[in-house]
Each structure stands twice: as structure tokens, then as C-alpha cells.
Amino acid sequence: MRTVKRLHPAFRDDIGDLVTRRPVPGPAIGHVGAFLFLNHHGPQSYPPNNRGLPFGTHPHRGFETATFILEGELAHTDSAGHASIIRAGGIQWMTAGSGIVHAEVSPADFRRDGGPMEILQLWVNLPARLKMTAPRYVGAQAGAIPAVTADGATVHLISGAFGGAQGVVDSLTGVFLTWVEIEAGGSVTFDGLEGRDVFLYGARGVFHVEATAVPHFHLAELTPGDGVTITATEPALFLFGHAEPIDEPIVAHGPFVMNSEAEIRQAFHDYQAGKFGVAEIVEA
């Protein structure tokens, strides 16, 4: 079974009035295998007549984004023609692939009325063979996401299989990804992890891996092994995933993640030439 090798705290890196914490990349960890980057926005409460989230139109190429809306609402539009407003408990999974322009903003009613907001966004790498795949998007509300409940834990299944259920997203690379709510006294075990990159981040409360406590706002770097058991003595919420390693160079610059500097330069050139298309911001 896997144990905790090291804990990595999330560091504050606010974006204007948006409270933001980032556990990876951090001073002691650049990425967790295929899992490249995590922003934890909030938790916070927006007043009425707020400006909302600041992520207007911007490009991506070479990876995927998985976005968890724990509280609040998130409006998405992109240059491939996708548009949705996802509310609390829902997810957005976007494959940037060969290039996409998208916007992630607060819809008009949230900007008018305000309310609680907490969002996690995880960047997941694509191998070279898929970096130029066609962009795609899945947006799912809470009710569409399978929830497997047992032993005091509820596993919200985003991609992969667990407890006889299948996630709402069919990952191109076989990524398993979930967020888990666990009660005091609860326990959940994930297996089939041998040789996989494992991502474990505490968003709320405190949970335990063997005898090690993992507080909220911390990433747990784990030892090798085929399984991990997570327990709790108080209510907690965490993000858990695993993926096949991608044994390739990672060259990241701003919104692009490729395998070489030349590919990064090409991405900038293609974006500036308008090859990624245009996304309109949702106002509804």
C-alpha cells in the first residue's frame, strides 16, 4: 500500500480579488507525472454586483483541463463551438489538443447576486501522439456524475471505473479522476495503482493515509504501491486521480504545454495567426 512520502503546501497566488492557492508546481515539486498544475480558487463569497471570475478569452494547446465547481457557477465558451454554464457539484473537461481559445467567467446572475465560490482546475498532460488531437469538451452538472457511496465516503466519478460505475468523461489516455467527500470514521481504498502517477490533494478538512494526516490545502506525494487507503476522523473533501506515466519532455510556456521549444514557438505563431479560432464570452 502507498504511504505519504512528503506533503506539499499550496501557496497563495491571488489573482486580483480571486483567492488562489497552488500546490503544484511548487518549490519542491514541478509536476506529479501527467498531472501538471492545480489552481484552487476560493473558498470565498462574492458580494452582489461583483466582477466575477477574471478568465476571459485565452488560448491552450497540448493538454487537458479538468475543472471542478465545488461552489458557485462557471460559464464556458470556446472556439470549437461549445458553451455551457455549470453549477455547484458539476465539472468541465476540456481537451485543448491542437489549439483552442476559451473563456471561463461568472454568468450574469452570479455577477448580479454574488454568492459562495470554490473551483479547482487541474491540468493533465497529453502525450506527443495526442497533443494535436481535435479539441473537445464535456460539461456535466452534478446530477449527471455517478456518485458511489460506501463506508462513509462518496466518490464522485469523473473518469475511469469504480464500484461498478463508469465516469462521465471517457479519457483519451485512461486517466482516473474523482473528487471524494468523506465523513468522520469513513474509509475508501483505491487499487490498481502499480506504475501509475497518483495525484492526491486535500481541499477541505483533514484525512489520513496510514498514520499521516493530510490537511486541507496540501498535496500528498505518495510512495510506490498498488493501492492506497484514505480514512478520516472529521469530514473532508479531496481530489484523487491516477494516470499512466508519459515519459516525454515537458516544455511549458504560459498556456501551452508541448515537447520542445520549437513546438511552443509554433503554438504562439499559430495562435497569433488566428488558427485557434475565436470564443465569445457567455453573458447569460
Side-chain angles (χ1 to χ4, degrees), residues 176-232:
F176 177 92
L177 194 57
T178 181
W179 63 278
V180 180
E181 295 174 287
I182 188 167
E183 302 171 3
S187 176
V188 61
T189 297
F190 298 98
D191 53 21
L193 307 181
E194 191 66 47
R196 305 272 288 180
D197 299 325
V198 175
F199 190 90
L200 178 58
Y201 173 72
R204 299 177 184 169
V206 178
F207 59 87
H208 290 77
V209 178
E210 298 295 333
T212 302
V214 181
H216 61 289
F217 306 147
H218 279 73
L219 175 79
E221 182 182 359
L222 303 181
T223 61
D226 187 59
V228 63
T229 295
I230 298 165
T231 60

Side-chain angles (χ1 to χ4, degrees), residues 35-121:
F35 302 101
L36 303 173
F37 174 100
L38 177 68
N39 262 352
H40 184 169
H41 302 301
Q44 66 191 99
S45 184
Y46 276 75
N49 302 313
N50 63 82
R51 292 177 297 175
L53 295 169
F55 306 115
T57 54
H58 58 281
H60 290 301
R61 171 180 278 181
F63 64 100
E64 301 182 284
T65 62
T67 307
F68 305 79
I69 298 90
L70 302 183
E71 294 283 356
E73 301 177 340
L74 181 59
H76 167 99
T77 50
D78 65 46
S79 55
H82 307 111
S84 67
I85 297 176
I86 304 298
R87 296 175 175 83
I91 63 98
Q92 299 179 345
W93 187 301
M94 187 185 76
T95 303
S98 60
I100 199 167
V101 175
H102 76 146
E104 302 159 293
V105 299
S106 300
D109 58 351
F110 185 88
R111 298 196 306 273
R112 181 190 65 234
D113 300 333
M117 192 284 302
E118 185 174 12
I119 293 172
L120 305 174
Q121 185 172 93

Side-chain angles (χ1 to χ4, degrees), residues 6-15 18-30 37-42 201-202 216-219:
R6 184 172 182 179
L7 293 175
H8 300 272
F11 288 89
R12 284 287 293 267
D13 189 15
D14 293 355
I15 304 169
L18 177 61
V19 174
T20 301
R21 294 175 175 88
R22 184 175 305 115
V24 61
I29 189 166
F37 174 100
L38 177 68
N39 262 352
H40 184 169
H41 302 301
Y201 173 72
H216 61 289
F217 306 147
H218 279 73
L219 175 79

